[in-house]
Amino acid sequence: MDSSVAFATVPTRLGDVLAAVTEDGVAATHFRDDPRLRRRIADRLGMAAADDPARTAAVREELAAYFRGELKEFRVPIDWRLMSPLQRQVLGTLFADVPYGEVVTYGELAARSGTGVPARAIGSIMGGNPIPIIVPCHRVVASNGLGGFSGGDGVESKRWLLTLEGHLPPTLDWDM
């Protein structure tokens, strides 16, 4: 049987979050859903798209629960194949070692990952994370503030996620 990727969309406060799930697990997420993006992900994976709601059920449920503030740890399997070995080491460290509601600086993550790469390179790896939210690149911050964020609406999406997780206090315009 040929390998395939199944897609699901989860409506959230930050937009319709797309999840791409292979037989091995979640391979990609994105803050927007778009047919061209689905094709690009399927092409990068070298897989045909499949309609498989059963395969995407767990990630749909977990993402929805996370955005409701009810899920603190994702348990869906991760398919790391879209990452280089260096990305896998850094993002795997982030996934395993930085729990809900906590943050780490770019420099601290560089040290924890044991890769020897500078903090600036950690920022580039976060920007290339194919599985944001589940592999929580929003939890990596600059030593003097939030730092950047390439997902969703940029730093405002990062701020929203960190507020959801209780790391930042709600602002006057906080709306779930």
Side-chain angles (χ1 to χ4, degrees):
M1 180 170 129
D2 291 334
S3 295
S4 63
V5 57
F7 292 97
T9 303
V10 179
T12 76
R13 170 75 165 66
L14 298 180
D16 290 340
V17 172
L18 175 67
V21 185
T22 68
E23 286 91 349
D24 295 329
V26 179
T29 55
H30 200 277
F31 284 89
R32 302 284 183 264
D33 189 359
D34 177 282
R36 290 169 298 185
L37 178 62
R38 288 178 179 225
R39 276 193 304 279
R40 193 164 57 240
I41 292 169
D43 288 348
R44 282 190 65 206
L45 289 165
M47 296 178 174
D51 182 20
D52 192 346
R55 187 188 314 167
T56 61
V59 73
R60 284 193 323 263
E61 291 167 14
E62 287 193 12
L63 282 168
Y66 171 81
F67 277 96
R68 289 191 307 266
E70 299 169 0
L71 181 80
K72 308 247 185 290
E73 181 181 345
F74 286 96
R75 298 191 183 282
V76 290
I78 303 294
D79 181 341
W80 301 93
R81 78 178 78 200
L82 291 178
M83 299 178 200
S84 71
L86 177 63
Q87 286 175 306
R88 170 72 169 89
Q89 187 170 348
V90 171
L91 291 166
T93 299
L94 171 65
F95 181 74
D97 293 353
V98 184
Y100 185 97
E102 294 185 20
V103 297
V104 64
T105 67
Y106 296 102
E108 289 167 344
L109 183 57
R112 284 189 196 184
S113 70
T115 58
V117 300
R120 190 171 38 241
I122 297 297
S124 294
I125 290 170
M126 295 304 105
N129 177 9
I131 315 173
I133 305 165
I134 295 173
V135 178
C137 51
H138 61 277
R139 296 181 191 154
V140 184
V141 299
S143 59
N144 62 351
L146 288 181
F149 194 66
S150 59
D153 293 325
V155 176
E156 287 309 309
S157 293
K158 184 176 193 172
R159 183 183 321 277
W160 194 92
L161 292 168
L162 291 175
T163 302
L164 172 71
E165 293 187 7
H167 180 74
L168 295 175
T171 60
L172 292 176
D173 64 349
W174 175 254
D175 180 25
M176 297 213 27

